Amino acid sequence: MTVHWLDLSAPPHLPALYAQAAAKRKITGSTLPEQGLRCWVDIDTQALAAFRDVCAIAPNPLLPPTYPHVLAFGLQMQLLTDKDFPFPLLGLIHLTNRIRVLRPMGGVTRLRIGVFVHNLQKHPKGATFDVVTQVDDQLGPLWEAESTLLCKGVDLPSEVPATPTFSPLALTELTRWYAPSNIGRRYARVSGDYNPIHLSAASAKLFGLPSAIAHGLWLKARALAALNAHLPAANVEISVAFKKPVRLPSEVILLSSDAGSSGDFQLNGHGDLVHLIGQWRPIS
């Protein structure tokens, strides 16, 4: 697709966007907008340090591989609450996330973030689409990502596409950690993502959940922090599929294959509960 870019002079103001998200509750169409949003963003060292703390990421001269999502969140919010976007933001379900670190993300102080949506497809429960994020520094493309989101209740005429599968490598337990009841509020403060399903049991129950659930991207960031010694610093694609949500509070268990250019990992609860499956591969 051809993206028609709108360049912004400053990142969007989140409180106004949350008001727009709360006001829109209905599906208004089945066509995605072709306009994308771009903006230059400065790295705030204090905000970055706070993100590292919440995600248990050790100090490192490189940006954490999931941190560009935080920098892009305001642009994504503006795109998904625009009047031309057909689906209500509240209620969208994050199914998968894939990031590609193209070059080592060190010595970075300013980045150009671009976001757009595409790839609308039929799903057994509605329709899915991808939110694409592209990040450049002064030298060119640095990082990119795709998040696949599900909107229930959308009726598209096309066929449901086949679901890709992969066979994981042998996994062993690497570590485990406790996700406390307040981690949703803590991650919201560093990411800007104040979705009510993550904040408290009371706010989650308004959306039909028995308790608050952890942010999917916090789980990915926390897992990648633990996997840091296993992962290449660049030329790597890291994909995850979100399965059963992590109800807060609870303990989670990280399983992983050995370090190398390719590998697999999985985040489990107790018993047979699988929260997340993931893999890293070289960018071909």
Side-chain angles (χ1 to χ4, degrees):
M1 69 175 279
T2 300
V3 181
H4 303 287
W5 291 106
L6 174 63
D7 290 292
L8 306 182
S9 59
H13 188 53
L14 282 175
L17 297 178
Y18 272 108
Q20 291 176 221
K24 184 172 183 177
R25 297 300 180 92
K26 295 182 179 181
I27 296 169
T28 58
S30 58
T31 303
L32 297 177
E34 296 183 351
Q35 185 180 78
L37 301 176
R38 288 190 303 203
C39 183
W40 284 94
V41 177
D42 293 321
I43 304 295
D44 183 321
T45 56
Q46 290 185 336
L48 175 57
F51 176 85
R52 290 185 185 277
D53 180 61
V54 170
C55 299
I57 301 171
N60 191 304
L62 303 179
L63 284 183
T66 61
Y67 191 65
H69 278 299
V70 173
L71 302 177
F73 184 71
L75 289 171
Q76 293 170 353
M77 278 281 292
Q78 180 159 327
L79 192 67
L80 299 182
T81 57
D82 188 85
K83 61 180 178 59
D84 291 330
F85 185 73
F87 310 139
L89 177 59
L90 293 178
L92 295 179
I93 300 170
H94 198 173
L95 299 181
T96 67
N97 174 261
R98 176 173 60 183
I99 63 176
R100 300 180 191 91
V101 184
L102 306 177
R103 293 184 282 112
M105 296 195 294
V108 177
T109 59
R110 197 164 189 257
L111 296 170
R112 187 177 69 170
I113 314 292
V115 301
F116 65 93
V117 291
H118 77 151
N119 195 30
L120 186 65
Q121 295 195 33
K122 191 176 183 66
H123 184 275
K125 295 182 179 180
T128 62
F129 64 95
D130 294 337
V131 179
V132 179
T133 305
Q134 299 174 336
V135 175
D136 299 348
D137 63 6
Q138 301 289 350
L139 298 178
L142 179 66
W143 180 99
E144 57 191 25
E146 292 176 355
S147 289
T148 300
L149 303 181
L150 166 66
C151 182
K152 292 183 176 181
V154 181
D155 187 15
L156 297 179
S158 56
E159 296 293 326
V160 176
T163 302
T165 60
F166 70 96
S167 300
L169 303 172
L171 304 179
T172 57
E173 181 176 337
L174 179 65
T175 188
R176 57 179 65 196
W177 68 84
Y178 185 72
S181 58
N182 69 345
I183 194 60
R185 296 187 294 277
R186 291 180 59 205
Y187 186 75
R189 284 193 288 269
V190 301
S191 68
D193 185 355
Y194 283 90
N195 189 322
I197 64 174
H198 303 304
L199 303 182
S200 70
S203 60
K205 286 176 181 176
L206 296 175
F207 293 84
L209 297 174
S211 64
I213 61 175
H215 292 78
L217 288 177
W218 174 75
L219 293 172
K220 184 174 184 178
R222 184 70 177 78
L224 296 189
L227 287 165
N228 183 59
H230 291 231
L231 301 174
N235 193 44
V236 62
E237 177 177 287
I238 309 169
S239 303
V240 299
F242 301 108
K243 299 301 184 180
K244 296 294 184 180
V246 174
R247 295 182 180 180
L248 301 175
S250 62
E251 185 179 49
V252 292
I253 304 158
L254 178 64
L255 310 175
S256 175
S257 59
D258 293 333
S261 60
S262 295
D264 297 312
F265 60 100
Q266 186 166 305
L267 197 61
N268 291 354
H270 290 281
D272 297 327
L273 195 60
V274 177
H275 297 303
L276 175 155
I277 58 172
Q279 62 180 29
W280 70 91
R281 299 288 187 268
I283 298 173
S284 56

